[in-house]
Every structure is written in C-alpha cells, then in structure tokens.
C-alpha cells in the first residue's frame, strides 16, 4: 500500500476516534450517538453541562435540572429561572411522572386587565410590559423534580450554571444578532442598565458575564426554593414590580407551587406515548392528532406530498378548533380530556375529512362532545444509561420574555400572561384564540402548547421529543414522530426535515420555504387550501433509542442546538 493511502487510513481512523469521543455524527443523516447517555439542548454550553453531570454518575433528572439552570445563563432568550414549563420524566422503573411548573396569574390579575376603554385589547400590554409576567414556576419545578428523582446533591447540579454565569461564556453569532436587535427595547423597557445592553455592538465570541445572576443562583443553591421565592431575590422581583407597575407580590411568590399531574397517554401504531396534560394543550392535541391520522395510510401517502399534507392540515384544523373552545387550567375549568380523546369521537372527526377537498376553517367548529412568538421557548431531551429520561420544555414565552431584567437579580421576566385569552376570539401573539376556558383569573395557569413527549415500544424507551415554537409546537412534535414511525427516518433526519403547520385560524397551511414543492403547492391550492411560506417552524431536540440501546441525538439545525452522547 502506498504511503499516502496509509496516511489516509490513519487519518480516517483518527477522525473516527475523535468523532466518537466528542459525539459528532457517525455518518450522514444520523445524529451523534451514545451508549451511556445523551443530551440535546438549544446551546452547546448547556449540552456540555448536562453531559458532565451524566458522566459524573448523575441520572437524567440531575442532568435536566443542571441543563435548565445552565440554559438560564447561556440561553437567556428562553432558558430561565423566572419562567415556567413542563417536565415529562420516565424512570428506569418504567414509571412516568409529569411536572407542571407553568406560571400562574398573579392574585391581582383580572379578566379584562388587557382591555382598553374602547373595549379592545391594548396592543403590547400582555407581551411588552411588566403586566405580562406570570408568577414564575421554574425554580419550584427544579427543586421538586430533584427532590423526588435526583441522585446527586442539589449544589452539584446547580454549581455548573453558577460558574458559567460568573466566568462568562462566548456568545454565538445568532445570540449577538439577537441582542443587537433587542437593544432599543431593552433600553426602553428597563429601569436600569442590565448586562445585556452593551454600548458597542455585540459580536460573535464576546464574553457574557452575569454576576448578579450568579449571586441569585447561589441563593437558590444555598436555600433552594426560598432562595428565589423569598429573601433578597423575592425582594428584587417585588421591587421591580413597584418600579415598573407590575402585579406580582411576595404573597404570589410564596404561594407558588408546581404540580405533579397525570400524563396524557395513548397508543399510536405499536408505540405508547406519554405527554403533558392541561394546563398544556400539547398532550391532548397530540393524542387527537395521532388518533385522527391513524385512520389513514400515511406511509403510502408519502412524506410532504399533497395527500399527506392535506390529511394532516385537515386534522390540525379540527384539533386547534377544539383547543380554542375546551382547553384551560384544570384547576379552574373542567377540561373534557376523555371526551376529546375518545376513540369514537376521533373517528368521527376523521370521517369529516374529505379526500380531495379542503374544509374551510370557518365551517369547522369545535366538536360536539358526547358528554359533558422573535418568539422563544426551549426544549431539551436527556436519556441516561439506566433508562431514565426527561423531556423538558420551558419558556419565558416571547424572546427574552417581556425583555425586562429584574434589577439586582439579573434575570429576564416572562410575558406568559399573553397565553391567556385576553378577550374571546382575540388572537394572541401566535394567532391563537380562546374563550372562557382560558380566560384570565387570579391564580390560574395560562394554557400552553408545550408538548414534551416520551414514546415507548414494548415497554422500552423509544423516543424523547419536544419543541419550542408557540402554536407550532404541537405540529412540530407531531411531524417529528411521524417522520420516524411512519417514514422510517433517523432521529436527525426527522428533526431536520422541513415542516408545515395549520392551526385552524388563520385558515392557512404555513410552511418552511422548501417543505412543499411548487407542484404540490398547486395541488393543495386546487383542493381549496390556502398557503403561506414562513420562516422556521419549531426547533426540535430529540433522542431515538435503537433496539440495541444505542441513543441517537437529533439537534435542530434551525438553531445553535447541540447533541452529544458518550
Ligand atoms: O406555552 C406556550 O405554548 C407558549 N408560551 C410557548 C412559547 C414558545 O414556544 C415561543 N417559542 N418559540
């Protein structure tokens, strides 16, 4: 063999060793693989922290808590301590837990708080002001999940985020652009100058050091929930409310409790899925979508073809119409989950779908039941060597929430109140409408679309999946699942595949530029569909577990997301 050939082989072998040790893709179309653990999150720093926890012998729950705190530092657009979200957890003992740490309306909130004297919703009040913030749930959620299911010490899982905040990290190009683009509103909305405002422009590689946030995280490390909901952190939040005209009080903070809820579970083909129950609409909607679509032969309809897009859009219209009418916080309204996900009801909804013609949204209503966001959220998926897994979606709602940073605390506040229906029929930032079930009430949780989901096959973990994207979360998760189960894609291919979305109102199939080819666009138009090309849909971070136990990560190329395994 020629020396060049030997060198080539040596280089190839070396690159394989390097590839395997840092978890990069093993070959085209496939995401990074791991045997012992896998973390997929929106930022490489957070993924590294999660992986280091797993390497130290921590379980998936330890890693999830560590990643959540890390994202609050390195991904402030959506990672948070003053937001909320949902964890869907499966343990090695095959038990599934779902934790709701969704924000709540402050006690002083009221039904018409965003309605002006003319009877209309005041633009921006529920998104761009301090009145947009719900009572944060994340810290209580992290404490509760760690206490119940974590294995390392509390300080071990939070310390990496503290170090990251104190030492700083290099921001990505996307983050630099983001921070530059919100500079004007940061100046306008804040009563002080948080570190996110820089006199010169932000550049890729700039170091972002967050000393105040490090101190806040240390209080949480030392006093757990009390480090956030009382003491100096709570004082800073309440002081910010007083300065900027907000509603959250010490009482609101002390009263906040996250809640363990029963998962929404069901079967799709030979798989079982577990997803989030209300106050997220994600699990119910996913169960409805999978139930309706299972009546059709999607595989032979083909991927992103006129036939499959038509079927999925028609299913989506009906599911989002139900969502607008029936879904809300189960602690306040009776949500007819069983009726909405009943097999017969879903068959009836499937029968309404015409094979060759779109049903206009204005002739679709919520079903009659038998009885009875720049926008930013973030999803991460974690699996460990013992079979524990966490599917986690958390959010501030809009990008950087309401873009108000708590003075002294160093963290962004959420603008989650916009997820309530401010007025029946009046769309929120995602164009979603709602009614009585999701009206504002003191202490109530606003309806969410977040859909953190776990899938098992023959009682073995099969997939960990979820996405940000406001109203498009549900359909992004839905498509990713179908891409693997019906279309046989790898995890990475399923995540990278182009997406489309229908949410009943507006009556539009919204699609990523190359998701639907021009011939199919014409075909769909001829059936009576309306179409609109939009930017990115969703940002899915997911894990697929192969039959031999190998974990394949799928990080969404639409962001800076990173998957790493070992
Ligand atoms: O809970 C919800 O459904 C929304 N607040 C999620 C917001 C979101 O996904 C924004 N991200 N891109």
């Amino acid at each position: 063999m020629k020396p060049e050939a030997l060198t080539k082989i040596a280089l190839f072998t070396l690159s394989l060793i390097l590839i395997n040790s840092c978890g990069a893709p093993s070959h085209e179309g496939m995401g990074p693989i791991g045997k012992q653990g896998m973390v997929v999150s929106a930022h490489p720093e957070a993924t590294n922290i999660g992986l280091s926890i797993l390497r130290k012998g921590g379980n998936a729950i330890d890693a999830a808590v560590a990643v959540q705190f890390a994202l609050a530092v390195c991904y402030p657009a959506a990672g948070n301590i003053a937001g909320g979200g949902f964890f869907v957890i499966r343990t090695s003992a095959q038990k599934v837990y779902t934790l709701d740490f969704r924000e709540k309306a402050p006690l002083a909130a009221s039904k018409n708080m965003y309605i002006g004297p003319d009877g209309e919703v005041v633009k921006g009040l529920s998104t761009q002001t301090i009145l947009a913030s719900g009572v944060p749930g994340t810290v209580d959620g992290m404490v509760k999940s760690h206490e119940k299911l974590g294995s390392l010490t509390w300080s071990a899982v939070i310390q990496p985020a503290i170090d990251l905040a104190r030492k700083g990290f290099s921001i990505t190009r996307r983050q630099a652009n983001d921070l530059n683009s919100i500079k004007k509103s940061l100046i306008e909305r804040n009563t002080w100058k948080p570190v996110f405002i820089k006199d010169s422009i932000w550049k890729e590689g700039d170091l972002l050091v967050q000393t105040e946030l490090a101190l806040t995280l240390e209080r949480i490390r030392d006093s757990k929930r009390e480090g956030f909901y009382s003491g100096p952190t709570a004082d800073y939040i309440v002081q910010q409310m007083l300065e900027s005209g907000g509603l959250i009080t010490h009482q609101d903070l002390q009263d906040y409790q996250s809640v363990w809820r029963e998962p929404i579970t069901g079967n799709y083909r030979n798989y079982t899925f577990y997803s989030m129950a209300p106050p997220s609409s994600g699990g119910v909607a996913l169960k409805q979508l999978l139930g309706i679509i299972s009546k059709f032969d999607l595989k032979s309809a083909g991927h992103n073809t006129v036939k499959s897009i038509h079927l999925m859009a028609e299913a989506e219209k009906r599911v989002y119409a139900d969502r607008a009418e029936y879904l809300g916080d189960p602690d306040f309204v009776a949500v007819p989950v069983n009726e909405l996900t009943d097999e017969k009801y879903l068959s009836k909804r499937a029968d309404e779908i015409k094979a060759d013609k779109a049903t206009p949204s204005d002739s679709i209503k919520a079903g009659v039941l038998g009885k009875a966001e720049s926008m930013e959220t973030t999803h991460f998926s974690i699996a460990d060597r013992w079979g524990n897994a966490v599917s986690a979606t958390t959010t501030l709602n809009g990008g950087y929430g309401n873009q108000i940073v708590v003075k002294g605390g160093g963290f962004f506040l959420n603008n989650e109140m916009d997820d309530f229906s401010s007025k029946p029929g009046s769309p929120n930032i995602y164009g979603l409408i709602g009614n009585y079930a999701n009206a504002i009430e003191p202490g109530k949780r606003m309806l969410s679309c977040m859909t953190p989901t776990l899938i098992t096959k023959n009682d073995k973990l099969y997939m960990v999946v979820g996405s940000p994207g406001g109203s498009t979360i549900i359909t992004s998760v839905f498509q990713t699942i179908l891409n693997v189960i019906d279309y046989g894609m790898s995890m990475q291919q399923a995540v990278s595949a182009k997406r489309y979305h229908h949410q009943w109102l507006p009556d539009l199939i919204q699609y990523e530029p190359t998701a639907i080819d021009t011939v199919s666009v014409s075909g769909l138009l001829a059936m009576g569909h309306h179409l609109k090309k939009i930017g990115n849909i969703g940002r899915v971070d997911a894990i697929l577990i192969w039959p031999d136990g190998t974990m394949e990560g799928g990080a969404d190329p639409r962001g800076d997301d990173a998957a790493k395994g070992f």
Side-chain angles (χ1 to χ4, degrees):
M1 201 178 281
K2 288 187 180 159
E4 304 95 283
L6 278 174
T7 322
K8 269 189 193 160
I9 290 174
L11 280 175
F12 180 65
T13 317
L14 181 66
S15 67
L16 272 187
I17 293 168
L18 286 175
I19 278 169
N20 282 334
S21 64
C22 67
S26 51
H27 65 77
E28 219 189 326
M30 195 89 66
I33 56 168
K35 286 275 187 194
Q36 310 262 16
M38 178 66 65
V39 180
V40 195
S41 88
H43 200 284
E45 296 279 3
T47 294
N48 287 340
I49 285 178
L51 206 70
S52 74
I53 293 285
L54 292 181
R55 278 187 194 278
K56 260 189 220 154
N59 64 22
I61 296 89
D62 295 314
V65 174
V67 167
Q68 177 61 31
F69 282 121
L71 286 167
V73 178
C74 64
Y75 190 54
N80 64 82
I81 52 173
F86 303 100
F87 272 6
V88 175
I89 304 170
R90 184 174 188 268
T91 66
S92 51
Q94 303 188 14
K95 224 175 139 23
V96 176
Y97 299 90
T98 61
L99 185 63
D100 161 8
F101 50 97
R102 180 71 161 168
E103 300 92 322
K104 284 178 145 194
L107 291 171
S110 55
K111 187 166 164 233
N112 295 328
M113 62 186 277
Y114 301 122
I115 310 240
D118 60 354
E120 295 304 321
V121 173
V122 181
K123 213 165 174 275
L125 211 54
S126 66
T127 52
Q128 299 170 8
T129 72
I130 194 112
L131 285 175
S133 297
V135 184
T138 296
V139 174
D140 189 69
M142 294 311 100
V143 172
K144 277 217 179 71
S145 31
H146 179 262
E147 277 178 354
K148 193 177 182 87
L149 299 163
S151 67
L152 298 183
T153 63
W154 175 247
S155 56
V157 297
I158 192 169
Q159 192 62 42
I162 298 172
D163 298 340
L164 194 65
R166 180 152 286 127
K167 289 188 199 135
F169 70 98
S170 300
I171 62 171
T172 65
R173 181 184 310 185
R174 213 180 243 105
Q175 290 184 304
N177 292 342
D178 252 25
L179 288 172
N180 291 329
S181 73
I182 63 163
K183 182 171 177 174
K184 191 164 164 279
S185 49
L186 283 178
I187 293 170
E188 281 166 9
R189 294 181 203 171
N190 282 284
T191 52
W192 64 303
K193 192 181 171 202
V195 286
F196 307 100
I197 301 174
K198 195 171 170 224
D199 293 331
S200 54
I201 63 161
W202 286 102
K203 291 187 302 298
E204 177 181 4
D206 281 352
L207 199 67
L208 179 59
V209 175
Q210 299 169 78
T211 311
E212 270 145 345
L213 180 58
L215 290 167
T216 299
L217 291 170
E218 278 172 356
R219 286 190 290 276
I220 298 170
R221 177 195 63 197
D222 298 340
S223 311
K224 297 180 107 177
R225 119 164 223 119
E226 302 310 316
F228 184 83
Y229 295 95
S230 52
T233 315
D235 293 344
Y236 290 139
I237 295 174
V238 172
Q239 184 57 33
Q240 192 64 58
M241 294 292 142
L242 293 175
E243 276 180 35
S244 306
L247 301 181
I248 298 172
T249 61
H250 278 290
Q251 176 83 52
D252 284 313
L253 293 169
Q254 271 149 29
D255 285 356
Y256 185 86
Q257 292 291 338
S258 51
V259 188
W260 294 102
R261 300 203 186 266
E262 285 300 313
I264 296 290
T265 169
N267 296 312
Y268 177 66
R269 309 211 193 274
N270 295 323
Y271 303 83
T272 305
F273 59 87
Y274 302 88
S275 193
M276 198 60 221
S280 184
S281 58
V284 170
L286 183 67
K287 186 165 179 177
Q288 289 189 300
L289 287 169
L290 291 171
I292 295 173
I293 220 66
S294 68
K295 315 287 177 227
F296 301 94
D297 185 356
L298 210 57
K299 196 170 177 180
S300 64
H303 182 253
N304 285 19
T305 59
V306 171
K307 201 165 174 192
S308 60
I309 295 169
H310 168 69
L311 289 172
M312 285 164 66
E314 290 297 303
E316 289 166 8
K317 286 181 200 175
R318 287 159 176 87
V319 167
Y320 278 80
D322 284 351
R323 177 193 190 277
E325 181 63 23
Y326 293 116
L327 282 260
D329 181 349
D331 295 341
F332 282 73
V333 291
V335 183
V337 173
N338 293 338
E339 291 82 350
L340 286 167
T341 56
D342 175 69
E343 186 64 26
K344 276 206 205 92
Y345 172 69
L346 295 177
S347 293
K348 209 173 95 216
R349 287 302 243 179
D351 290 344
E352 289 168 22
I353 298 176
K354 301 184 186 81
D356 52 357
K357 209 164 171 311
T359 313
S361 288
D362 58 14
S363 56
I364 294 177
K365 299 276 169 285
V368 179
L369 303 180
K371 202 162 60 92
E373 37 207 169
S374 126
M375 301 155 182
E376 289 295 344
T377 294
T378 188
H379 177 83
F380 56 90
S381 294
I382 300 180
D384 68 23
R385 69 194 95 159
W386 300 287
N388 303 293
V390 181
S391 182
T393 317
T394 84
T395 190
L396 290 167
N397 194 25
Y400 303 88
N402 59 5
Q403 302 182 3
I404 296 173
V405 183
V406 171
K407 189 171 162 188
F411 50 87
F412 281 102
L413 289 168
N414 69 79
N415 59 350
E416 217 74 61
M417 291 290 284
D418 188 64
D419 275 350
F420 277 118
S421 168
S422 296
K423 185 184 168 188
S426 174
N428 74 356
I429 39 172
Y430 306 107
L432 292 169
I433 61 162
N435 213 326
Y436 162 76
N438 190 30
I440 305 173
E441 287 181 66
K444 187 176 176 183
R445 287 174 157 94
M446 54 298 279
L447 184 61
S448 174
C449 283
M450 291 189 270
T451 316
T453 300
L454 295 171
I455 300 181
T456 60
K457 188 180 183 188
N458 301 329
D459 293 329
K460 278 169 72 181
L461 185 66
Y462 180 72
M463 199 191 294
V464 188
V465 59
S467 179
S471 55
T472 67
I473 292 175
I474 299 166
T475 49
S476 296
V477 171
F478 178 47
Q479 285 167 85
T480 308
I481 294 172
L482 300 181
N483 286 346
V484 175
I485 294 183
D486 289 79
Y487 297 117
M489 294 185 194
S490 73
M491 193 72 261
Q492 187 60 58
Q493 288 166 334
V495 165
S496 304
K498 297 297 174 193
R499 305 189 185 109
Y500 54 90
H501 166 79
H502 203 305
Q503 60 180 51
W504 175 47
L505 294 174
D507 189 353
L508 283 174
I509 297 177
Q510 306 184 54
Y511 65 104
E512 294 184 323
T514 53
I516 312 180
D517 61 42
T518 46
V519 178
S520 302
V521 168
S522 309
L524 288 161
L525 288 171
M527 292 171 96
H529 287 286
H530 309 282
L531 288 96
K532 187 180 174 195
K533 221 183 262 184
I534 60 167
N536 289 343
I537 296 180
R539 194 164 151 176
V540 176
D541 282 341
I543 302 172
L544 188 67
I545 292 90
W546 299 348
D548 71 350
T550 302
M551 305 167 204
E552 185 208 353
D556 205 315
R558 292 163 182 82
D560 297 321
D561 305 40
K564 281 191 188 174
F566 74 110

